[in-house]
Amino acid sequence: MARARSTDVERSLGRRMRGVAGLAALAGLAWVARDVPAALGGRLSGARAERAARSPQFRDGTFHNQAGTRTMVAEPGRNLVRELIFGKQKRRPTTPVPLLRPSAPPGSADASDELNIVWYGHASTLIEIEGRRVLLDPVWSERCSPSGLVGPRRLHGPPVGIDELPPLDAILISHDHYDHLDMATVRALLAGQSAPFLVPLGVGAHLDRWGVPAERIIELDWSESHRVAGLEITATAAQHFSGRGLRRDGTLWSSWVVAGARRKVFYTGDSGYFDGYAAIGAEHGPFDVTLMQIGAYDRAWPTIHMFPEEAVDAHVDLRGGLFVPVHWATFNLALHDWSEPVDRLWAEAKARDVRLAVPRPGERVVVDEPPAVDGWWQAVA
């Protein structure tokens, strides 16, 4: 009898422990997921929604590209999920990606002629132009995801801490995908910088939800410009899509032109190749340097991300001078080899006599005296 009572007590204790463990697991999941609703961002309403509805890019409740596009193209006989799991591509570097701390700016007696680029990884890039500083698509988080637990994880760390960035004059966001717009990074820049955020139409709703004051949010449609710190910054067309949850294309996407009195920079954001590059080049070019998306492409989504050879086509259309590739190396977002984008780019640039610089993350590129391409990525691929 005593043995039976002992067994009952053990079973009861076991059930209680399993119950406690289950509650602890749920609490842990809730803690990890606590920021997910906020990270999804805001939605258009009020005056912001009314302004979006007046955009030539907006109809039937969403934003649209100039030409028809598809975010996924079916390919008979190809299983993307199987390829993702069992594919033979080398999608990660085999050794650590070399990081550099940006060297001191070269300095010049004439700051009005200054033009340098610091690429921090993926699309996050600093433009130093005529004594001003413009930061593009900053993402300092470990994952590009609404969750800190799941989602694409960095393949290399940021070369500098976000608190080590110099004082900024403007922060540009190309669109609201997680690898370009990151809540934690925005909040850090809100606290540590005073620069305004320039964003495509609708993206201000996300910033609103994250506590960015209205006076620091400037929303632009394609072909609209804003002057800040003596620079003319213009939102220009791109061919992509948007969305942070289940809803697609509720905010606009864009490329950007950053123009000083003497120097000009173009940044693609994310985009497929389209005729708009020639129009942008004719209206705003020539450009001293173009920052061009080269990674995360696939024949399953050919109209929303450029292949490296198409990026060279776009650079030529834009009347670009120096080509600096971005949107590669940092996050694993496609099925190609980690080093394939830049290998293909280098070959195409040489074949077409395009000036190219491929910096290591954190390396400062002086546009008028760029470093020679040395194939550094091949040693770690």
Side-chain angles (χ1 to χ4, degrees):
M1 182 69 69
R3 187 171 182 178
R5 283 197 300 270
S6 176
T7 300
D8 289 342
V9 169
E10 289 175 359
R11 288 175 178 170
S12 177
L13 181 60
R15 286 194 296 269
R16 291 178 182 179
M17 291 180 67
R18 287 193 294 272
V20 169
L23 289 173
L26 288 173
L29 287 173
W31 176 259
V32 169
R34 68 194 186 281
D35 287 335
V36 170
L40 293 174
R43 298 193 66 170
L44 275 68
S45 62
R48 180 172 281 117
E50 293 171 4
R51 185 181 176 199
R54 294 193 297 269
S55 168
Q57 282 59 251
F58 193 88
R59 61 182 182 275
D60 302 324
T62 61
F63 287 97
H64 293 262
N65 289 300
Q66 293 175 343
T69 58
R70 295 177 62 185
T71 55
M72 190 64 67
V73 177
E75 187 174 348
R78 188 182 186 196
N79 186 318
L80 289 175
V81 174
R82 181 179 299 170
E83 191 173 341
L84 178 67
I85 299 172
F86 300 109
K88 303 300 182 183
Q89 299 95 338
K90 297 178 180 178
R91 299 170 63 212
R92 298 174 178 273
T94 58
T95 59
V97 175
L99 307 179
L100 297 180
R101 294 189 63 81
S103 58
S108 170
D110 183 9
S112 66
D113 203 43
E114 176 190 35
L115 185 54
N116 311 314
I117 302 296
V118 181
W119 175 61
Y120 298 113
H122 199 58
S124 303
T125 307
L126 180 69
I127 301 169
E128 298 173 328
I129 178 171
E130 299 179 2
R132 305 301 185 183
R133 300 183 185 94
V134 178
L135 184 63
L136 308 177
D137 283 351
V139 175
W140 256 252
S141 289
E142 183 66 15
R143 296 182 186 274
C144 55
S145 166
S147 168
L149 186 63
V150 296
R153 192 171 186 174
R154 300 183 72 97
L155 301 176
H156 66 81
V160 299
I162 197 165
D163 58 340
E164 298 178 274
L165 292 175
L168 302 171
D169 294 286
I171 302 162
L172 309 188
I173 306 296
S174 64
H175 63 296
D176 70 1
H177 286 159
Y178 293 102
D179 57 322
H180 295 257
L181 178 63
D182 175 64
M183 180 178 71
T185 302
V186 167
R187 286 177 167 173
L189 292 170
L190 175 61
Q193 298 279 348
S194 60
F197 293 82
L198 279 69
V199 302
L201 287 181
V203 176
H206 303 317
L207 303 185
D208 270 348
R209 184 167 187 184
W210 301 337
V212 179
E215 62 269 18
R216 287 185 64 179
I217 302 172
I218 298 161
E219 294 184 71
L220 300 177
D221 201 349
W222 293 348
S223 299
E224 291 183 343
S225 299
H226 181 79
R227 289 197 66 83
V228 56
L231 302 174
E232 185 85 3
I233 298 178
T234 304
T236 43
Q239 185 169 281
H240 199 54
F241 68 108
S242 67
R244 296 177 72 83
L246 297 178
R247 184 168 185 259
R248 286 283 184 90
D249 302 336
T251 64
L252 187 59
W253 47 95
S254 73
S255 56
W256 290 100
V257 171
V258 179
R262 301 173 61 182
R263 314 305 298 262
K264 286 185 180 180
V265 180
F266 177 81
Y267 168 50
T268 56
D270 278 4
S271 180
Y273 179 78
F274 72 124
D275 293 342
Y277 288 122
I280 294 168
E283 182 174 358
H284 298 283
F287 295 97
D288 297 283
V289 59
T290 65
L291 305 171
M292 308 294 291
Q293 169 256 307
I294 67 162
Y297 52 80
D298 194 278
R299 60 185 186 272
W301 50 87
T303 60
I304 57 171
H305 277 272
M306 286 187 287
F307 293 87
E309 296 80 7
E310 291 178 317
V312 175
D313 289 336
H315 171 84
V316 173
D317 290 348
L318 289 159
R319 302 163 66 200
L322 181 67
F323 183 125
V324 176
V326 299
H327 206 272
W328 77 284
T330 307
F331 295 109
N332 190 342
L333 301 176
L335 299 174
H336 54 65
D337 287 351
W338 176 78
S339 62
E340 181 185 295
V342 74
D343 283 333
R344 289 174 61 168
L345 170 64
W346 196 12
E348 186 72 7
K350 286 188 288 188
R352 300 181 65 175
D353 197 27
V354 166
R355 292 176 61 229
L356 177 66
V358 184
R360 295 157 178 80
E363 182 176 5
R364 176 175 275 105
V365 173
V366 179
V367 170
D368 294 334
E369 299 178 5
V373 181
D374 60 6
W376 61 264
W377 60 90
Q378 295 174 343
V380 303

